[in-house]
Amino acid sequence: MNKLTYSVLTLGVAAMLGMTSCADSFLDVSSKTESNTDNFYEDENDAWRALLGCYDGWRNISTKPGIGFYIASTVMGDEAYGGTGVGDGRNHQLIDRFDLNESPSDLNVYSQDWKIYYAGVYRCNELITRDAQIEWRDEAKHSLYMGEARALRALLYFDMVRLWGNIPLFLEPSSENREQTDPAEVYAHIFDDLRFAIDNIPADANISESDNGRITRYAAEAILARAYLYYTGYYGKEPGFTPEGGETIGAVTKAEALAAVEDVISSGYFELVSDFKNLWPAASLVPKPGENGWDTEASTYAGDANKEVILAQKFEPVYEYGTNEDPGPQYSNRWLVMMGMRSSLTKAPYHYGWGACTVIPSYLVRFENGDTRLTPSVIDIAGEGISSLPEFQGSYNDWREYTGYTVKKYTPLAYGNGNPGTNADGTAGFQEANIQQWTIMRYADVLLMAAELGSANAANYMHLVRSRAGLGDIAVSKDNIMAERARELAFEGIRYWDLLRQGIEVAADAICASAGTAFDGGRKVNVSYNRNKIIECKGLSQIPEDQITLSNGVLKQNAGWK
């Protein structure tokens, strides 16, 4: 383990925080000097260290305690209820129902997330605005590093503007108390950053397995297409922002978005993994009976750096509880423990956790008979014999909004002896040390976006996705493509945004249709939604009230959350 420490005090946010990482991670780097903004950003080595800080800032949206973008995305749609424990606060129910009445004291549900995102943006802005003062000896590294930094800033803003809609925009390191920006302008800069990354990251850069987790040109292209589809769907207009008296920025056409994903497809670097289950550790790793470790002959996991993964967020089994002044290294996937079965209910390869995101049974009806994606996507607690375990009753009595199903794609792992499957000897904390990567973009998603954008090869792209799932061809239409996305990308943090970009009424209807029966500690409850409330909120999330207070009212709360 190596530790990298920077002393950067501007805004009270370090341009790079202390980082501890394992030797197989590209984030692993050592430093024997103390650096600050007065003597830093001199050469390419400084730029590289700063870029690592940008990646770490992006990773912090998952490694620092908060709601987490993945959890929020899964809870807000029609795939899952909020879940968690019967004695827990109802913050997940507040998010799920778009209703502060679910937990009136939770005025700052996303407070930590808001701060983490802006800290990540700050790191990117530090590097981007120091470009001119760095002595670049290798122009290829110059283009690559700055392209990655711009793409990371775009990723951070894309999450924020989808979650909150109305956010301040910072393109430079600043502590200014700034008003919220027109979302059209935020998106314009997202598209400009992504276009810069596409133009500057070489086609063959960051492709090797050792660079898994770094931004490629193709990741930037795929995210551009995703952002285009979301913006045009949610806002009902083409991207582009014209400042008063200025030239239009951030304009992107449908043809450009299609060309971007077609370039990903034609690159030859990516392909579908032959068996869908091999994309997901819990569906493809076979524990050694009664031991630590996995049966390497029986396990079929394709690996983190498989050919289908275009962009993933990487983690390490490192998390130390510290203080506000010295929080300690925090590099594990901290939202993953929320996805585990509740309260000591472990059956290898599934380890227990905190019971969030209980799968809604009606969502499973979307899968056609014979669809081989269903079993790798969902843990069927009764069907897999888990409900017959002695620990089940205690878990059931402690579980809120239990439905009998939970997410398999993302769940903590357990070895055959019940130890957490996070490090080789099973000694890492089940809560602190989860390392499953978060796959942000898969090749299957690119194929379906290309079909939706009108590719001449749309029928073949649909065929590739469906044939892997054991299904026959269907007509290429918008409805069929969206239905296919609902199955292929289920429980990956994508479905809610796919609903919202079809219109707030479509999203509200789908969410309301997911209402049904669940069990709180064994007591039957009805989960229901207020359609008007969802529409009033426009599908946007609550801006933390503490941030509004700190801004002296410069920030304004989103509609429906006042």
Side-chain angles (χ1 to χ4, degrees), residues 1-69:
M1 300 295 180
N2 298 313
K3 188 169 184 179
L4 172 61
T5 303
Y6 298 92
S7 300
V8 182
L9 303 178
T10 308
L11 190 60
V13 181
M16 289 140 289
L17 298 181
M19 295 192 297
T20 302
S21 60
C22 295
D24 60 355
S25 168
F26 78 87
L27 290 177
D28 185 30
V29 67
S30 61
S31 172
K32 302 187 188 313
T33 64
E34 292 291 327
S35 303
N36 56 56
T37 50
D38 291 329
N39 61 20
F40 201 65
Y41 300 107
E42 293 181 352
D43 57 26
E44 289 167 3
N45 290 331
D46 291 342
W48 170 242
R49 292 165 62 199
L51 180 61
L52 295 179
C54 296
Y55 272 104
D56 193 51
W58 175 54
R59 181 172 63 176
N60 280 346
I61 67 174
S62 294
T63 62
K64 304 293 184 184
I67 294 297
F69 188 82

Side-chain angles (χ1 to χ4, degrees), residues 78-80 359-371 373-375 377-378 380 405 466 471 483-484 486-488 490-491 495 513-515:
D78 61 345
E79 302 167 294
V359 171
I360 301 171
S362 62
Y363 193 83
L364 306 183
V365 177
R366 296 179 181 277
F367 290 82
E368 301 170 58
N369 290 334
D371 192 328
R373 294 170 295 195
L374 176 57
T375 298
S377 299
V378 178
D380 180 348
Y405 302 95
R466 286 181 59 82
L471 303 174
E484 201 59 44
R487 295 181 284 264
E488 174 70 28
F491 318 112
R495 167 65 175 174
S514 71

Side-chain angles (χ1 to χ4, degrees), residues 140-141 143-144 197-207 216-218:
K141 287 184 178 179
S143 295
L144 175 60
I198 293 165
D199 292 342
N200 284 273
I201 298 176
D204 60 351
N206 299 340
I207 295 296
T216 63
R217 161 179 154 177
Y218 308 105

Side-chain angles (χ1 to χ4, degrees), residues 417-484:
N417 57 9
N419 286 339
T422 50
N423 66 344
D425 60 10
T427 59
F430 81 95
Q431 179 175 203
E432 307 92 344
N434 289 296
I435 58 172
Q436 182 181 346
Q437 71 178 19
W438 178 16
T439 300
I440 307 294
M441 182 66 69
R442 289 198 286 118
Y443 187 60
D445 194 348
V446 167
L447 292 173
L448 293 173
M449 286 194 291
E452 184 178 349
L453 287 163
S455 171
N457 298 312
N460 182 51
Y461 297 159
M462 287 280 284
H463 167 77
L464 291 173
V465 172
R466 286 181 59 82
S467 62
R468 178 175 67 172
L471 303 174
D473 292 341
I474 56 175
V476 176
S477 67
K478 179 66 176 290
D479 287 345
N480 282 345
I481 291 170
M482 297 310 293
E484 201 59 44

Side-chain angles (χ1 to χ4, degrees), residues 91-237:
N91 57 348
H92 281 210
Q93 283 63 45
L94 178 155
I95 294 168
D96 182 35
R97 317 292 209 276
F98 296 85
D99 192 348
L100 190 58
N101 291 320
E102 288 290 329
S103 187
S105 64
D106 269 322
L107 302 176
N108 301 303
V109 169
Y110 289 108
S111 181
Q112 181 75 351
D113 304 86
W114 181 279
K115 288 181 280 190
I116 291 167
Y117 270 102
Y118 274 107
V121 167
Y122 185 90
R123 296 185 189 195
C124 295
N125 285 339
E126 274 280 357
L127 175 55
I128 292 166
T129 57
R130 304 279 183 168
D131 184 4
Q133 78 182 59
I134 297 171
E135 181 183 350
W136 297 98
R137 295 184 299 275
D138 185 334
E139 188 54 37
K141 287 184 178 179
H142 181 195
S143 295
L144 175 60
Y145 293 177
M146 298 312 294
E148 288 178 86
R150 293 279 291 270
L152 288 166
R153 183 170 70 178
L155 285 166
L156 290 162
Y157 270 126
F158 186 35
D159 284 358
M160 286 195 287
V161 76
R162 281 183 291 170
L163 268 178
W164 297 300
N166 305 292
I167 60 173
L169 175 68
F170 293 90
L171 301 175
E172 69 291 317
S174 174
S175 58
E176 178 185 347
N177 186 12
R178 190 169 293 182
E179 293 182 353
Q180 287 139 303
T181 304
D182 183 342
E185 184 176 359
V186 177
Y187 273 98
H189 287 286
I190 290 171
F191 286 120
D192 275 358
D193 277 350
L194 291 170
R195 188 180 283 116
F196 182 93
I198 293 165
D199 292 342
N200 284 273
I201 298 176
D204 60 351
N206 299 340
I207 295 296
S208 69
E209 184 172 342
S210 62
D211 285 320
N212 181 33
R214 290 182 67 179
I215 306 287
T216 63
R217 161 179 154 177
Y218 308 105
E221 288 178 321
I223 296 297
L224 182 141
R226 178 179 287 176
Y228 174 86
L229 286 168
Y230 184 79
Y231 182 85
T232 53
Y234 183 77
Y235 292 99
K237 60 182 180 180

